[in-house]
Amino acid sequence: MLEPPRRRVLSTRVLGTVAFLILAVAVVFAVRGSLHSPGVRPRQPVVIEQEAPGENGTARAERLAAVDSSEKTAWVDEIPSLDMNMLTPTRREVFLRFANAQSCTCGCGFTLAACRRYDTECEVSLPRLERLRDSVSAGLLTQANGLRERPVLQR
């Protein structure tokens, strides 16, 4: 005997519904993956640091390692490649206290000011020092309470 046609129709409907749901879920994931959420930014391209002309990364590291460790935190008054002429004496002192207290984040172990003194090719210290100078110049940083004081010269 033959199966009743009703059973075949029911299983076909269930199978069709399941297939439709799978297809709908796949479409939702495809559409969601192609749209950017407002809070998520696309990845930035990787920037590869260029070495200083005539100096490879190892030579630079060796040169910086040869600097006496006491110089890593030595007080620096004049910072190469940085114009501080727009700062009043008071603001210059605030700037120098920050620059001589904050560590450079390039991995050298120097303060920002000392890094610039011993490594004028550092791609981290100059932009940070420029932002710091601009903040002090604009009056956004007016005090250096709790930061390193200028050393007193021994006579």
Side-chain angles (χ1 to χ4, degrees), residues 31-93:
V31 169
R32 216 175 106 185
S34 67
L35 298 176
H36 294 291
S37 300
V40 178
R41 289 191 222 159
R43 288 187 177 190
Q44 297 296 320
V46 175
V47 178
I48 299 173
E49 281 188 45
Q50 293 184 356
E51 297 168 349
E55 180 178 55
N56 64 29
T58 305
R60 179 179 178 222
E62 288 173 354
R63 179 176 52 80
L64 292 175
V67 176
D68 181 13
S69 62
S70 66
E71 292 296 314
K72 291 188 174 204
T73 58
W75 186 270
V76 177
D77 277 318
E78 294 298 322
I79 301 172
S81 307
L82 187 71
D83 181 20
M84 294 184 287
N85 291 331
M86 80 277 292
L87 298 175
T88 64
T90 303
R91 287 187 176 176
R92 180 184 171 101
E93 190 62 26

Side-chain angles (χ1 to χ4, degrees), residues 95 124 126-136 141:
F95 167 78
V124 175
L126 184 58
R128 285 192 62 203
L129 286 164
E130 288 172 337
R131 286 192 303 270
L132 177 62
R133 178 205 55 205
D134 294 345
S135 294
V136 172
L141 294 172

Side-chain angles (χ1 to χ4, degrees), residues 88-133:
T88 64
T90 303
R91 287 187 176 176
R92 180 184 171 101
E93 190 62 26
V94 169
F95 167 78
L96 287 173
R97 287 184 62 194
F98 273 98
N100 282 286
Q102 293 180 350
S103 297
C104 184
T105 56
C106 75
C108 65
F110 289 85
T111 62
L112 280 172
C115 181
R116 198 74 204 145
R117 173 196 245 170
Y118 289 102
D119 187 9
T120 57
E121 299 298 320
C122 177
E123 295 177 358
V124 175
S125 61
L126 184 58
R128 285 192 62 203
L129 286 164
E130 288 172 337
R131 286 192 303 270
L132 177 62
R133 178 205 55 205

